[in-house]
Amino acid sequence: MNILVCIKQVPDTTAIKIDPVKHTLIRDGVPSIVSTFDAYALEVASRMKDKDKQSRITVLSMGPEQAKNALKECISKGADEAYLVSDRVFGGSDTLATSYILSGAIKMLEEKNGAPFDLIFCGKQAIDGDTGQVGPEIAQHLDRALITYASDAVMEDGKLKAKRESDEGYDYLTADLPAVITVVKTAYEPRYPSLKGKMAANKAVIPTLTSQDLSGLDLAHCGLKGSPTKVRGTFTPTHEKNGQKIEAETGDEAGRTLVKLLSQAKLIG
Amino acid sequence: MILNEQSMELVNLVKEFVDNEIIPHAAEYEKKNEFPEEILDKALDMGLGALCLPEELGGLGIDNVTMFAIAEELARGDLGIATTLIANCLASFPVLIAGNDEQKKMWFDIMQEKKYAAFCLTEPNAGSDASGMQTTAVKDGDDYVINGTKCFITNGGIAGIYTVLAVTNRAKGIMGLTAFIVERDREGVSIGKEEDKMGMRLSNTCEVIFDNVRVPKDHVLGREGRGFKYIMQTLDHSRPGIGAFGVGIARRALEIATAYSRERKQFGKAICNFQAVQFMLADMAMETEAARQLYLHCAQLMDAGLPYTMEAAMAKTKGSDVSVKAALDGLQVMGGYGYMREYPMEKLVRDSKILQIYEGTNQIQRSVIANQLLKKIK
Ligand SMILES: Cc1cc2nc3c(=O)[nH]c(=O)nc-3n(C[C@H](O)[C@H](O)[C@H](O)COP(=O)(O)OP(=O)(O)OC[C@H]3O[C@@H](n4cnc5c(N)ncnc54)[C@H](O)[C@@H]3O)c2cc1C
Ligand SMILES: Cc1cc2nc3c(=O)[nH]c(=O)nc-3n(C[C@H](O)[C@H](O)[C@H](O)COP(=O)(O)OP(=O)(O)OC[C@H]3O[C@@H](n4cnc5c(N)ncnc54)[C@H](O)[C@@H]3O)c2cc1C
């Protein structure tokens, strides 16, 4: 199996603060990490590789040069090779442009490999941008089957079997390959890097793919120019604790209290 | 000495693992009296069970400095876990020293598949004095037939493969001892009593019994009659690791005692303000660093291909003595609380003691050091 995992290097949002005056992120001194769900995606992929040792995992990221550190971390956890997409003209890309450029890079790698990736993994969303659009957009650009929000996935009889969280419980979905899959938090934690992986990561040479390498791309669809999203303004949401916890001996009693409160607030008739 | 960047990265990775996966859970396993299989499986996945696997067989090819620095980190987490993992190296050294390519391949394939290996030297009546051993290996056609009981064997009950020292020619004394590879699943190999130990409780220590165990002659390591020499070389090689274990425990004791001394208030101030407490902490820190430099220096000699027998014995003895003292002093800093199972210090006292005993008691080490000294002066 030939697997690709798209990973984004993000600031550790659990450590980030927002400037209350300028409404911008205070990035100083905040460590960069592999976006959480991408780390889970890599773990799902690595478990597939554990079962089928012939598999190869490639990781791909678009970002500045320092995103190579995130790619190296993936190699230390078992990825076989990594590519960084980086070019000034790609800067300022929104999700549409990002997914267009990533798809261009994927096509280029597939041409080089002489075959499409059997599986393309993404996180359900990047923990900074949070849109959750890039994965599905890649599936669209490449015209591949798509399974979103998988909390686990395995290969069975040459097909992808995924477990997806839904409000009612779990959906079990099957897809033919090649396919794109986006991953949520799994029941298991991502593995530690192996010592060997760490040594391999240190030695790894990670090629940078620029707009010249991705000659199939129409630059009008890349970067700021190719990004229809316009940020009109930003604000810091206020976190007010205005929830109320209803505590009662029985569910029945709690239900009655709830109805009373809601009707007092004129939310129900 | 200062570790180079690559060693440092590996050591830091192990430290992260120890902080997240070993330290928070080791005490629970000890309380439940349960083997920490889950933790060990993760450690094995990281490659921590095969630190000495040579590069040509798919191993890391790390130097001795890095290997022992990793041993220090593991022991800072839990000595039982550290011993379980590093005993794989102890058992493998005779194979690396005397084995041929096929033997090495077979050994490491089995060790990695079955997870653990064990080193079988000690017997009920042969501890410090290996020449008193009673286990025999008698040649029978193309095979040897092994009979005897080994005791206090680390990983004895969980290993898939053993290195075993046995008498092939009693008349020749230590020149009549031969080293063998024996698989766990050979007929006649069984596990006897599992020891109920004072400390290091997450390590498996068992009797291993050989009852008419037949092994083909290609299971002989090196030459017949040379086993004792290989085993002495093995112990020389592994001893700095015991020193490193001691440093790991002492470091942990110092960390806990320092933190506690800042929290605990008596006579209106934190006890770290009392000079008597400060001096205990200062001595712990100084001795720990001295012991660290000794094992690292020995490892550096090994990596440089220089003689190291005396330094290995020094590193082992110093590291273990320092750990016992540091754990006891750390306990003293904590007063009555240190004596309670609820706190982590008493475990370090119980764990550290073994370091003065196994892989050659500290009395034997001092004899080794003295022998080397007298040889040099002569
Ligand atoms: C300072 C700043 C300014 C921004 N300005 C704009 C703007 O003006 N307009 C706008 O639309 N957006 C803007 N963005 C958002 C940015 O374009 C998005 O971060 C990016 O397009 C990816 O979207 P996302 O983060 O929501 O990823 P998601 O769609 O949530 O990511 C889903 C998955 O897609 C993959 N993925 C996402 N990004 C990458 C990547 N770079 N490389 C590899 N895989 C990836 C990962 O697997 C990820 O888990 C800005 C972001 C920042 C931090
Ligand atoms: C938890 C544990 C794990 C172990 N793991 C292994 C293992 O994996 N493989 C293995 O082969 N063995 C193992 N051992 C055995 C260990 O190496 C021996 O216990 C050790 O070598 C001491 O032998 P002994 O216990 O028979 O003590 P003895 O040799 O009986 O010693 C008793 C006392 O006499 C002293 N003494 C003996 N001879 C002299 C001398 N010539 N000069 C001065 N003092 C002397 C000793 O220092 C000691 O204080 C393990 C032991 C323990 C407790």
Side-chain angles (χ1 to χ4, degrees):
Chain A
M1 281 242 302
N2 226 338
I3 301 173
L4 180 86
V5 184
C6 295
I7 65 122
K8 186 179 179 189
Q9 188 187 44
V10 297
D12 185 349
T13 49
T14 55
I16 212 161
K17 296 210 168 51
I18 299 176
D19 185 319
V21 180
K22 288 187 268 177
H23 301 309
T24 51
L25 303 180
I26 305 172
R27 284 170 178 262
D28 284 353
V30 177
S32 291
I33 58 169
V34 174
S35 183
T36 315
F37 300 109
D38 303 353
Y40 287 117
L42 177 64
E43 179 59 31
V44 176
S46 300
R47 286 177 177 233
M48 289 182 177
K49 188 180 159 181
D50 289 343
K51 290 215 183 96
D52 173 11
K53 300 261 190 273
Q54 307 302 322
S55 299
R56 270 186 81 73
I57 299 176
T58 306
V59 276
L60 176 67
S61 186
M62 180 165 93
E65 183 70 15
Q66 64 140 335
K68 283 188 178 172
N69 292 335
L71 291 168
K72 286 196 170 183
E73 188 181 325
C74 296
I75 291 179
S76 75
K77 294 187 179 185
D80 298 283
E81 58 177 342
Y83 294 90
L84 177 71
V85 178
S86 197
D87 196 314
R88 217 169 260 276
V89 301
F90 297 155
S93 293
D94 68 1
T95 63
L96 188 64
T98 300
S99 62
Y100 175 70
I101 298 164
L102 288 172
S103 303
I106 294 168
K107 279 185 201 154
M108 186 225 117
L109 293 173
E110 292 184 337
E111 232 162 79
K112 194 177 112 210
N113 294 343
F117 288 105
D118 298 301
L119 271 178
I120 297 172
F121 279 89
C122 285
K124 74 156 177 169
Q125 66 196 55
I127 62 166
D128 59 346
D130 263 341
T131 69
Q133 292 171 0
V134 171
E137 286 170 354
I138 289 175
Q140 184 68 25
H141 285 303
L142 299 173
D143 196 19
R144 306 261 161 101
L146 170 70
I147 294 178
T148 51
Y149 302 108
S151 60
D152 203 0
V154 290
M155 288 300 299
E156 250 177 59
D157 307 324
K159 286 182 196 298
L160 172 67
K161 304 243 172 182
K163 178 177 169 185
R164 177 165 73 185
E165 285 176 355
S166 75
D167 288 341
E168 285 84 39
Y170 291 108
D171 300 331
Y172 288 91
L173 302 155
T174 305
D176 286 324
L177 304 184
V180 176
I181 176 168
T182 80
V183 172
V184 300
K185 186 179 187 331
T186 53
Y188 36 82
E189 283 302 304
R191 66 197 55 195
Y192 277 85
S194 69
L195 298 176
K196 212 170 174 185
K198 192 94 190 164
M199 290 168 80
N202 279 341
K203 286 188 213 136
V205 179
I206 297 175
T208 304
L209 306 176
T210 64
S211 57
Q212 305 206 317
D213 301 304
L214 308 179
S215 51
L217 289 178
D218 177 354
L219 292 183
H221 294 291
C222 301
L224 263 181
K225 262 193 295 181
S227 297
T229 317
K230 296 290 169 268
V231 179
R232 301 288 297 270
T234 53
F235 66 94
T236 313
T238 46
H239 290 286
E240 281 169 23
K241 278 204 192 127
N242 50 10
Q244 187 182 338
K245 196 169 177 185
I246 301 168
E247 283 181 86
E249 290 285 315
T250 63
D252 191 55
E253 205 184 315
R256 281 169 204 286
T257 314
L258 176 65
V259 170
K260 213 166 92 191
L261 285 170
L262 290 176
S263 62
Q264 272 171 3
K266 304 220 176 348
L267 290 168
I268 54 173
Chain B
M1 75 168 293
I2 302 169
L3 297 187
N4 66 31
E5 203 177 320
Q6 192 199 304
S7 302
M8 215 52 226
E9 274 201 12
L10 296 182
V11 167
N12 285 338
L13 173 61
V14 176
K15 179 172 187 298
E16 193 187 321
F17 176 74
V18 165
D19 282 335
N20 294 324
E21 305 290 332
I22 299 186
I23 289 181
H25 306 296
E28 289 162 43
Y29 281 99
E30 178 155 340
K31 213 170 184 176
K32 287 185 289 185
N33 206 14
E34 203 178 284
F35 189 68
E37 191 161 353
E38 236 172 282
I39 301 179
L40 281 161
D41 280 347
K42 284 186 193 171
L44 292 172
D45 282 344
M46 288 176 71
L48 290 166
L51 290 173
C52 62
L53 179 66
E55 209 169 359
E56 50 295 0
L57 293 174
L60 297 167
I62 52 173
D63 56 15
N64 287 293
V65 166
T66 312
M67 181 166 74
F68 294 133
I70 288 173
E72 177 190 325
E73 294 303 326
L74 290 172
R76 176 177 160 271
D78 178 82
L79 183 65
I81 289 173
T83 295
T84 305
L85 293 166
I86 302 293
N88 274 2
C89 293
L90 174 67
S92 301
F93 287 147
V95 182
L96 290 170
I97 290 167
N100 57 36
D101 287 350
E102 287 96 76
Q103 288 172 327
K104 285 180 194 166
K105 181 157 181 351
M106 170 185 107
W107 172 268
F108 285 110
D109 281 352
I110 295 179
M111 186 177 96
Q112 286 187 293
E113 192 205 323
K114 304 278 169 77
K115 302 184 188 178
Y116 305 107
F119 173 76
C120 302
L121 171 65
T122 304
E123 296 183 6
N125 293 318
S128 299
D129 180 13
S131 69
M133 106 175 11
Q134 279 148 16
T135 298
T136 54
V138 176
K139 196 147 192 210
D140 181 31
D142 275 348
D143 297 337
Y144 285 83
V145 178
I146 304 178
N147 274 295
T149 297
K150 298 287 181 179
C151 69
F152 296 164
I153 304 306
T154 298
N155 292 353
I158 55 174
I161 194 155
Y162 305 101
T163 37
V164 181
L165 195 67
V167 180
T168 42
N169 187 338
R170 172 109 36 219
K172 288 191 172 168
I174 57 169
M175 293 306 282
L177 300 178
T178 301
F180 293 87
I181 295 177
V182 182
E183 300 92 330
R184 167 69 180 90
D185 51 18
R186 280 206 178 262
E187 210 179 317
V189 178
S190 63
I191 310 303
K193 158 166 119 181
E194 182 178 348
E195 300 297 342
D196 185 11
K197 302 187 294 293
M198 161 185 172
M200 200 171 68
R201 296 195 53 94
L202 300 193
S203 158
N204 170 282
T205 317
C206 284
E207 239 172 23
V208 182
I209 301 157
F210 301 91
D211 180 18
N212 278 320
V213 177
R214 196 168 267 280
V215 295
K217 68 170 190 249
D218 64 7
H219 281 44
V220 171
L221 284 168
R223 286 171 45 195
E224 196 182 300
R226 290 293 168 90
F228 187 75
K229 189 175 142 226
Y230 305 144
I231 296 307
M232 289 302 116
Q233 286 173 346
T234 292
L235 291 171
D236 273 357
H237 197 151
S238 70
R239 273 173 192 148
I242 307 301
F245 281 175
V247 174
I249 290 184
R251 203 172 115 206
R252 179 90 185 282
L254 178 62
E255 284 167 12
I256 297 168
T258 308
Y260 185 86
S261 73
R262 304 171 89 132
E263 295 292 321
R264 175 69 175 170
K265 289 198 176 63
Q266 289 293 285
F267 300 97
K269 45 184 156 178
I271 59 167
C272 66
N273 291 296
F274 302 123
Q275 205 176 50
V277 172
Q278 290 178 356
F279 281 13
M280 274 196 276
L281 297 176
D283 281 339
M284 283 162 81
M286 182 167 58
E287 290 291 306
T288 304
E289 191 56 43
R292 176 182 291 114
Q293 294 306 324
L294 260 181
Y295 90 69
L296 286 173
H297 174 63
C298 179
Q300 232 177 353
L301 292 174
M302 294 165 112
D303 288 332
L306 296 167
Y308 58 84
T309 297
M310 182 164 81
E311 288 77 6
M314 287 176 168
K316 193 263 179 191
T317 310
K318 184 71 183 170
S320 55
D321 286 353
V322 164
S323 74
V324 170
K325 176 96 165 53
L328 283 169
D329 285 352
L331 194 152
Q332 191 68 17
V333 167
M334 294 178 73
Y337 295 91
Y339 199 67
M340 301 301 155
R341 288 256 155 119
E342 206 184 324
Y343 292 84
M345 197 64 87
E346 60 84 31
K347 175 179 187 296
L348 301 184
V349 173
R350 289 183 289 110
D351 285 356
S352 60
K353 183 63 200 172
I354 184 61
L355 300 176
Q356 294 178 320
I357 299 169
Y358 69 0
E359 296 201 26
T361 66
N362 281 9
Q363 287 71 33
I364 297 297
Q365 302 309 309
R366 287 183 165 88
S367 302
V368 170
I369 296 167
N371 284 342
Q372 294 288 321
L373 271 179
L374 298 169
K375 216 159 69 184
K376 274 183 190 164
I377 290 167
K378 196 163 61 178

Short mmCIF file of all heavy atoms in Angstrom, two decimals, chain B residues 1 4 32 37 42 58 62 66 82 90 92 97 122 135-136 144 187 237-238 243 258 281 308 322-323 329 332 356-357:
data_model
loop_
_atom_site.label_atom_id
_atom_site.label_comp_id
_atom_site.label_asym_id
_atom_site.label_seq_id
_atom_site.Cartn_x
_atom_site.Cartn_y
_atom_site.Cartn_z
N MET B 1 32.25 14.53 30.71
CA MET B 1 32.10 14.67 29.27
C MET B 1 30.70 15.18 28.93
O MET B 1 29.77 15.09 29.73
CB MET B 1 32.35 13.33 28.57
CG MET B 1 31.22 12.32 28.72
SD MET B 1 31.41 10.91 27.62
CE MET B 1 31.19 11.63 26.02
N ASN B 4 27.18 14.21 22.68
CA ASN B 4 27.01 14.94 21.42
C ASN B 4 25.52 15.08 21.09
O ASN B 4 24.66 14.52 21.76
CB ASN B 4 27.79 14.28 20.27
CG ASN B 4 27.23 12.91 19.92
OD1 ASN B 4 26.03 12.66 20.06
ND2 ASN B 4 28.09 12.02 19.47
N LYS B 32 0.00 -3.36 42.52
CA LYS B 32 -0.83 -4.49 42.06
C LYS B 32 0.00 -5.75 41.90
O LYS B 32 -0.54 -6.80 41.59
CB LYS B 32 -1.48 -4.15 40.71
CG LYS B 32 -2.60 -3.14 40.80
CD LYS B 32 -3.28 -2.95 39.44
CE LYS B 32 -2.39 -2.22 38.45
NZ LYS B 32 -3.01 -1.90 37.17
N GLU B 37 3.71 -5.08 31.47
CA GLU B 37 3.83 -5.51 30.08
C GLU B 37 3.51 -4.39 29.09
O GLU B 37 4.19 -4.23 28.08
CB GLU B 37 2.91 -6.70 29.84
CG GLU B 37 3.18 -7.35 28.51
CD GLU B 37 2.64 -8.77 28.43
OE1 GLU B 37 2.18 -9.29 29.47
OE2 GLU B 37 2.68 -9.33 27.34
N LYS B 42 5.57 -0.84 24.77
CA LYS B 42 5.84 0.46 24.14
C LYS B 42 7.35 0.70 24.04
O LYS B 42 7.85 1.20 23.03
CB LYS B 42 5.21 1.60 24.95
CG LYS B 42 3.71 1.70 24.78
CD LYS B 42 3.19 2.94 25.49
CE LYS B 42 1.67 2.87 25.59
NZ LYS B 42 1.12 3.93 26.43
N GLY B 58 20.35 -4.69 11.48
CA GLY B 58 19.17 -3.83 11.54
C GLY B 58 19.06 -3.03 12.81
O GLY B 58 18.03 -2.43 13.10
N ILE B 62 24.37 2.33 17.92
CA ILE B 62 24.76 3.46 18.78
C ILE B 62 26.01 3.09 19.57
O ILE B 62 26.30 1.91 19.78
CB ILE B 62 23.64 3.86 19.77
CG1 ILE B 62 23.13 2.65 20.55
CG2 ILE B 62 22.52 4.57 19.05
CD1 ILE B 62 22.15 2.99 21.64
N THR B 66 26.12 6.41 24.40
CA THR B 66 24.68 6.63 24.24
C THR B 66 23.88 5.52 24.92
O THR B 66 22.88 5.77 25.59
CB THR B 66 24.32 6.69 22.74
OG1 THR B 66 25.23 7.56 22.09
CG2 THR B 66 22.91 7.18 22.53
N ALA B 82 14.06 -0.89 33.66
CA ALA B 82 15.39 -0.70 33.08
C ALA B 82 16.13 -2.04 33.04
O ALA B 82 16.74 -2.39 32.02
CB ALA B 82 16.18 0.32 33.91
N LEU B 90 22.79 -7.67 28.28
CA LEU B 90 23.67 -8.55 29.06
C LEU B 90 23.68 -9.95 28.45
O LEU B 90 24.74 -10.54 28.25
CB LEU B 90 23.17 -8.61 30.52
CG LEU B 90 23.87 -9.59 31.44
CD1 LEU B 90 25.31 -9.16 31.68
CD2 LEU B 90 23.13 -9.70 32.79
N SER B 92 22.94 -10.76 25.46
CA SER B 92 23.43 -10.76 24.07
C SER B 92 24.94 -10.61 23.95
O SER B 92 25.53 -10.99 22.94
CB SER B 92 22.79 -9.59 23.28
OG SER B 92 21.40 -9.70 23.28
N ILE B 97 30.29 -11.23 21.51
CA ILE B 97 31.72 -11.42 21.75
C ILE B 97 32.23 -12.66 21.03
O ILE B 97 33.27 -12.63 20.38
CB ILE B 97 32.00 -11.51 23.27
CG1 ILE B 97 31.79 -10.14 23.93
CG2 ILE B 97 33.41 -12.04 23.55
CD1 ILE B 97 31.72 -10.18 25.45
N THR B 122 24.55 -17.57 37.35
CA THR B 122 24.49 -17.87 38.79
C THR B 122 23.76 -19.18 39.08
O THR B 122 22.78 -19.53 38.43
CB THR B 122 23.79 -16.70 39.52
OG1 THR B 122 24.50 -15.51 39.20
CG2 THR B 122 23.78 -16.91 41.02
N THR B 135 26.22 -26.97 36.87
CA THR B 135 25.53 -27.29 35.62
C THR B 135 26.54 -27.87 34.62
O THR B 135 27.61 -27.32 34.43
CB THR B 135 24.88 -26.02 35.02
OG1 THR B 135 23.92 -25.55 35.94
CG2 THR B 135 24.22 -26.30 33.69
N THR B 136 26.16 -29.01 34.02
CA THR B 136 27.08 -29.67 33.11
C THR B 136 26.52 -29.73 31.69
O THR B 136 25.30 -29.70 31.49
CB THR B 136 27.34 -31.12 33.55
OG1 THR B 136 26.07 -31.79 33.67
CG2 THR B 136 28.08 -31.19 34.87
N TYR B 144 25.11 -31.55 22.61
CA TYR B 144 25.48 -31.47 24.02
C TYR B 144 24.20 -31.66 24.83
O TYR B 144 23.14 -31.21 24.40
CB TYR B 144 26.09 -30.11 24.38
CG TYR B 144 27.51 -29.93 23.89
CD1 TYR B 144 27.77 -29.53 22.58
CD2 TYR B 144 28.59 -30.13 24.75
CE1 TYR B 144 29.07 -29.35 22.13
CE2 TYR B 144 29.89 -29.96 24.31
CZ TYR B 144 30.13 -29.56 22.99
OH TYR B 144 31.41 -29.38 22.57
N GLU B 187 13.14 -28.93 24.57
CA GLU B 187 12.62 -29.87 25.55
C GLU B 187 13.55 -29.95 26.75
O GLU B 187 14.77 -30.01 26.59
CB GLU B 187 12.49 -31.25 24.90
CG GLU B 187 11.36 -32.03 25.53
CD GLU B 187 11.20 -33.39 24.89
OE1 GLU B 187 11.28 -33.49 23.65
OE2 GLU B 187 11.00 -34.35 25.66
N HIS B 237 31.73 -5.53 30.13
CA HIS B 237 31.01 -4.65 29.21
C HIS B 237 29.72 -4.11 29.83
O HIS B 237 29.33 -2.98 29.59
CB HIS B 237 30.68 -5.41 27.91
CG HIS B 237 30.31 -4.49 26.78
ND1 HIS B 237 30.52 -4.78 25.47
CD2 HIS B 237 29.74 -3.26 26.78
CE1 HIS B 237 30.10 -3.79 24.71
NE2 HIS B 237 29.61 -2.85 25.49
N SER B 238 29.08 -4.95 30.64
CA SER B 238 27.76 -4.52 31.13
C SER B 238 27.86 -3.69 32.41
O SER B 238 26.93 -2.97 32.75
CB SER B 238 26.87 -5.73 31.36
OG SER B 238 27.34 -6.47 32.46
N GLY B 243 26.40 1.06 36.80
CA GLY B 243 26.76 2.38 37.30
C GLY B 243 25.76 3.42 36.83
O GLY B 243 25.30 4.27 37.61
N THR B 258 14.73 17.39 46.55
CA THR B 258 14.84 18.85 46.35
C THR B 258 13.45 19.48 46.32
O THR B 258 13.19 20.47 47.01
CB THR B 258 15.60 19.15 45.04
OG1 THR B 258 16.83 18.43 45.05
CG2 THR B 258 15.89 20.63 44.90
N LEU B 281 21.54 17.62 50.20
CA LEU B 281 21.22 17.77 48.77
C LEU B 281 22.50 18.02 47.96
O LEU B 281 22.69 17.44 46.88
CB LEU B 281 20.24 18.92 48.56
CG LEU B 281 18.86 18.75 49.20
CD1 LEU B 281 18.02 20.00 48.98
CD2 LEU B 281 18.12 17.53 48.64
N TYR B 308 39.38 -1.27 29.69
CA TYR B 308 38.43 -0.59 30.58
C TYR B 308 38.00 -1.45 31.77
O TYR B 308 37.07 -1.08 32.47
CB TYR B 308 37.21 -0.11 29.79
CG TYR B 308 36.48 -1.24 29.08
CD1 TYR B 308 35.54 -2.02 29.73
CD2 TYR B 308 36.75 -1.51 27.74
CE1 TYR B 308 34.89 -3.05 29.08
CE2 TYR B 308 36.10 -2.54 27.08
CZ TYR B 308 35.17 -3.31 27.76
OH TYR B 308 34.53 -4.33 27.11
N VAL B 322 26.58 5.18 45.34
CA VAL B 322 25.98 6.52 45.34
C VAL B 322 24.45 6.42 45.36
O VAL B 322 23.78 7.17 46.07
CB VAL B 322 26.46 7.33 44.10
CG1 VAL B 322 25.57 8.53 43.85
CG2 VAL B 322 27.91 7.75 44.29
N SER B 323 23.91 5.47 44.62
CA SER B 323 22.45 5.38 44.57
C SER B 323 21.87 4.97 45.92
O SER B 323 20.85 5.49 46.35
CB SER B 323 21.99 4.43 43.47
OG SER B 323 22.22 3.09 43.83
N ASP B 329 19.54 9.16 51.93
CA ASP B 329 19.56 10.57 52.32
C ASP B 329 18.31 11.29 51.83
O ASP B 329 17.77 12.16 52.52
CB ASP B 329 20.82 11.26 51.78
CG ASP B 329 22.06 10.87 52.58
OD1 ASP B 329 21.90 10.20 53.62
OD2 ASP B 329 23.18 11.24 52.16
N GLN B 332 15.79 10.63 54.20
CA GLN B 332 16.03 11.41 55.42
C GLN B 332 15.50 12.84 55.26
O GLN B 332 14.89 13.38 56.18
CB GLN B 332 17.54 11.44 55.73
CG GLN B 332 17.89 12.00 57.09
CD GLN B 332 17.41 11.10 58.23
OE1 GLN B 332 17.11 9.93 58.01
NE2 GLN B 332 17.32 11.64 59.42
N GLN B 356 24.28 -3.00 44.32
CA GLN B 356 25.54 -3.37 44.99
C GLN B 356 25.77 -4.89 44.95
O GLN B 356 26.82 -5.36 45.38
CB GLN B 356 25.52 -2.90 46.45
CG GLN B 356 25.50 -1.38 46.58
CD GLN B 356 25.42 -0.92 48.03
OE1 GLN B 356 24.71 -1.52 48.83
NE2 GLN B 356 26.15 0.13 48.37
N ILE B 357 24.76 -5.62 44.47
CA ILE B 357 24.85 -7.08 44.52
C ILE B 357 25.01 -7.73 43.14
O ILE B 357 25.93 -8.51 42.91
CB ILE B 357 23.61 -7.67 45.24
CG1 ILE B 357 23.55 -7.13 46.68
CG2 ILE B 357 23.64 -9.20 45.23
CD1 ILE B 357 22.24 -7.41 47.39
#
